[in-house]
Amino acid sequence: MSGRMTRDQAVARLLDGIEADLGACGSIRDLLERQFQAAMRHRGAELAALAEELTPQLESMEQRRQQRVQLVRALLGADATMDKLFAKLDDGRGDAARAAWLQLEQLVRDCKDATARNGHLMAEQYSVMQRLLHGEDETYAPR
């Protein structure tokens, strides 16, 4: 941790990052649902626009994740975990932070599941289109 940031400031920044990620995950989850609907309806332009919306949000979340890792390690050492940090927080902040962290973990899992679902759908659609465009050996063979 740099000499410019106090322990309280580092903890505040870390907790603010968790809150920011909670908000971002809700937005990302909505975008992923819109992406799924656009893929189902074969709306390529909408898919491209959604990708442009998703990318900066995902990049921001990754930056906050990296900052969290740096901050928790600066506060508690290389083997630090979020649970160890929460255990050291007093006056109810630890419990509230732990609850927010658990909620964030669930939202991230939900987003990963939605991303996998969308990816599978689009891969399947691509596969179908490839077969239609390039044919299969047996597609039009007489029986």
Side-chain angles (χ1 to χ4, degrees), residues 7 10-19 22 68 72 75-76 80-105:
R7 179 185 185 284
V11 169
R13 182 170 293 171
L14 196 146
L15 297 178
D16 288 346
I18 292 171
E19 289 300 320
L22 283 169
R68 231 181 341 267
V72 77
L75 289 165
L76 301 174
T81 65
M82 295 301 285
D83 282 333
K84 287 181 183 178
L85 174 72
F86 300 146
K88 291 193 175 284
L89 297 179
D90 53 0
D91 64 27
R93 287 190 315 162
D95 291 339
R98 184 175 286 107
W101 182 251
L102 291 173
Q103 182 182 3
L104 178 59
E105 286 180 326

